Amino acid sequence: MRLIYEQSIPGRRGVKLPASDVPASAPLPENLLRKEPAALAEVSELDLVRHFTNLSRRNFSVDTNFYPLGSCTMKYNAKVLENAASLFAPFHPMTALLPDGEGFCQGTLGMLYDLGQMLADITGMDEVTTQPLAGAHGEMTGILLISAYHRAKGNKKKYVVVPDSSHGTNPASAAIAGYEIITVPSAPYGDMDLELFKKAMTDEVAAVMMTCPNTVGLFNPHIKEIADIAHSHDALMYYDGANLNAIMGKVKPGDVGFDVIHVNLHKTFGTPHGGGGPGSGPVGVKKALIPFLPQPRIVMDDGGQFRLETANPGSIGRTAGFFGNFGVMVKAYAYIIMLGREGLIQASEQAVLNANYIKERLKPYYELPYDTTCMHECVFSASRQLAHGVHAIDIAKYLIDRGYHPPTVYFPLIVKEAIMIEPTETESKATLDAFVEVMIEAAKAAESDPQALHDAPLTMPIGRLDETKAAREQNVCCLG
Ligand SMILES: *Cc1c(COP(=O)(O)O)cnc(C)c1O
């Protein structure tokens, strides 16, 4: 496909503007003026519409196809959520910060306040900040809160304990916040090895960071015991709640010993994040950590008016411009209101049922490293296919030709040739069945015709890339 610039013909126009009837204002300073006209493409309106419509048809999205990308919760984003977000579009984000601005935006502040309250209820925490801009940003905010808590108590802490089945952002966030990482290996049943965990715990541990369910899709049955041990060393329990889609409405992390949690609004509560953003990673905390929360905090006074509280000496400060990614929060708010308590529980149950259905149907064809009931995603290994020279990446590429976004592959790192499938609750049984058939077809092709898998994809504008080179030399102009 030619770039829009390659379609440019001098003098061709998309729109013809009438002569301006607005009096010219004082000219701009000479040093701010262009030396040459902007090098814009000169095309007709129809050329322009076709160009971008055709490009958009190369997008892969949940709106076009099934997208079972494990760990990402690519659920359908209902259009009514977008409508809700667009209601707020005319609202300027600086309004609340103007003199007496809080009075102008009681509804908006109230929405953020209510969202915080609802998330606190869902997670079992005492207060939530909606500032962080993504899951990993929430983790860093959470660890900074933990660090401020220990500093205020005079605790000398050096380490953060992380199971090897946690998401990679967990140790990364803790390291950026200044801690050294102790990684605890998994036991053969897929959860953190309890005995090795006990050995790792000392009074120098600031926090235990756990992804729940973990990256192999399992919920650790020893949480209570782990939390008790952590607390006996005055270490705090951090819950990576990006995978809340498995448990929302079923378990409140705050009730089982966790002190800090982040959730990914852009996974669990609509707005899947294909394309890299925008995200929102609110952080919930127990009472002891409220004094350190980012500010401004949105508080409600006795008369039911919302205010921005900025004079909080213990606060770790602002962690995002304005109030975070506001549109994502409106969508999450609408999602929660729309589903209600029963609806959220049903969504979790359906997500878990769908993952287990896929797990059971594909088990005869793909190696299942942890053969137990899973949560919202299931993790296979392509190790059987590897015997025929077929890797997880070959199966992923084959799926592209068949109209599916590949599942997450090569993650989690603790599973060789991992294929991580997360169907979400928004897909029908018919969709899951069709996907399963194609996965079975791929498993059979691995035995009978491995070359077909090595050659895929054949239907895309470009075939196999040199993936290292593609990452090092990013040049999208070669898209044929
Ligand atoms: C997606 C994810 C994250 C990171 O969230 P981002 O919004 O991408 O920064 C952290 N932990 C888990 C378990 C995740 O699935």
Side-chain angles (χ1 to χ4, degrees):
M1 196 160 156
R2 287 191 304 157
L3 298 179
I4 189 87
Y5 296 101
E6 293 166 350
Q7 298 173 42
S8 180
I9 292 175
R12 191 162 279 184
R13 287 287 175 270
V15 268
K16 290 203 175 71
L17 296 176
S20 170
D21 58 359
V22 179
S25 61
L28 290 171
E30 188 65 27
N31 64 333
L32 296 180
L33 293 178
R34 281 185 184 283
K35 303 287 176 286
E36 292 164 21
L40 299 176
E42 298 179 75
V43 293
S44 72
E45 180 174 332
L46 182 55
D47 290 339
L48 187 81
V49 168
R50 288 203 176 132
H51 180 73
F52 286 107
T53 303
N54 284 324
L55 276 182
S56 77
R57 285 163 59 167
R58 292 191 175 179
N59 280 345
F60 194 101
S61 71
V62 182
D63 282 358
T64 54
N65 296 72
F66 183 40
Y67 205 134
L69 191 65
S71 198
C72 290
T73 313
M74 302 298 289
K75 62 174 70 175
Y76 171 64
N77 185 44
K79 298 296 165 260
V80 66
L81 305 185
E82 296 295 334
N83 280 353
S86 68
L87 293 176
F88 288 84
F91 204 75
H92 196 285
M94 293 291 271
T95 313
L97 305 176
L98 293 172
D100 301 325
E102 290 159 346
F104 283 119
C105 43
Q106 284 295 301
T108 317
L109 293 178
M111 193 278 299
L112 288 173
Y113 182 86
D114 280 353
L115 177 63
Q117 298 274 307
M118 293 190 300
L119 292 173
D121 185 12
I122 291 168
T123 58
M125 294 290 161
D126 293 315
E127 187 163 327
V128 167
T129 172
T130 52
Q131 279 191 23
L133 300 165
H137 192 202
E139 290 169 30
M140 196 182 79
T141 304
I143 294 291
L144 290 176
L145 292 170
I146 289 171
S147 173
Y149 165 89
H150 286 308
R151 258 201 321 278
K153 284 186 82 176
N155 289 347
K156 298 261 177 299
K157 301 285 191 177
K158 204 169 154 190
Y159 301 104
V160 168
V161 167
V162 181
D164 68 356
S165 60
S166 278
H167 196 267
T169 50
N170 294 184
S173 303
I176 283 180
Y179 287 105
E180 288 177 39
I181 311 302
I182 299 174
T183 306
V184 181
S186 298
Y189 48 85
D191 285 311
M192 178 165 76
D193 190 304
L194 201 55
E195 293 312 310
L196 295 177
F197 167 72
K198 287 178 188 164
K199 289 207 183 92
M201 284 306 298
T202 65
D203 287 345
E204 282 192 307
V205 173
V208 179
M209 263 186 119
M210 300 189 70
T211 298
C212 301
N214 68 15
T215 56
V216 290
L218 305 179
F219 197 91
N220 193 313
H222 308 297
I223 293 291
K224 183 78 178 69
E225 192 176 352
I226 292 169
D228 288 346
I229 294 169
H231 289 146
S232 74
H233 293 279
D234 205 4
L236 297 179
M237 289 290 290
Y238 185 99
Y239 188 108
D240 176 340
N243 290 339
L244 204 73
N245 212 41
I247 64 145
M248 57 176 173
K250 304 288 281 188
V251 181
K252 296 186 181 194
D255 289 354
V256 293
F258 286 94
D259 305 290
V260 185
I261 181 174
H262 84 266
V263 295
N264 282 32
L265 297 187
H266 53 290
K267 291 180 181 172
T268 308
F269 301 98
T271 328
H273 63 318
S280 178
V283 170
V285 296
K286 283 291 179 68
K287 259 197 192 66
L289 289 132
I290 292 178
F292 312 108
L293 281 174
Q295 56 187 24
R297 261 173 86 212
I298 299 170
V299 293
M300 185 167 67
D301 66 22
D302 293 341
Q305 292 287 302
F306 299 101
R307 286 190 301 105
L308 296 175
E309 186 203 77
T310 50
N312 186 358
S315 168
I316 61 166
R318 209 179 234 295
T319 55
F322 307 113
F323 295 94
N325 277 327
F326 186 76
V328 182
M329 293 181 225
V330 180
K331 288 183 246 185
Y333 179 79
Y335 180 91
I336 295 171
I337 296 276
M338 208 167 66
L339 266 67
R341 190 176 291 272
E342 290 310 311
L344 291 181
I345 292 172
Q346 217 184 331
S348 290
E349 289 178 349
Q350 190 70 39
V352 171
L353 178 65
N354 282 358
N356 279 284
Y357 179 69
I358 288 189
K359 171 176 71 72
E360 287 304 312
R361 285 214 54 197
L362 287 180
K363 205 159 89 171
Y365 304 92
Y366 291 91
E367 187 62 30
L368 187 62
Y370 305 107
D371 188 358
T372 144
T373 307
C374 63
M375 299 298 284
H376 63 308
E377 55 197 357
C378 54
V379 179
F380 290 98
S381 160
S383 56
R384 283 188 216 164
Q385 288 69 33
L386 196 57
H388 306 278
V390 169
H391 292 259
I393 189 85
D394 299 315
I395 293 160
K397 300 295 184 192
Y398 180 82
L399 288 170
I400 295 174
D401 273 343
R402 304 303 309 273
Y404 293 99
H405 193 287
T408 297
V409 288
Y410 300 106
F411 179 85
L413 302 175
I414 54 173
V415 173
K416 192 175 130 192
E417 295 288 331
I419 300 179
M420 182 192 216
I421 302 170
E422 179 177 5
T424 83
E425 74 281 9
T426 58
E427 300 295 338
S428 66
K429 179 169 177 294
T431 300
L432 303 186
D433 282 334
F435 172 73
V436 162
E437 289 310 321
V438 173
M439 284 294 288
I440 293 173
E441 206 178 281
K444 289 183 175 158
E447 291 175 19
S448 62
D449 186 11
Q451 193 55 38
L453 294 167
H454 297 316
D455 291 341
L458 297 171
T459 60
M460 291 289 116
I462 37 176
R464 285 291 175 111
L465 291 173
D466 176 337
E467 304 216 349
T468 312
K469 197 161 172 233
R472 297 278 184 278
E473 297 170 28
Q474 295 183 349
N475 176 8
V476 291
C477 294
C478 60
L479 281 175

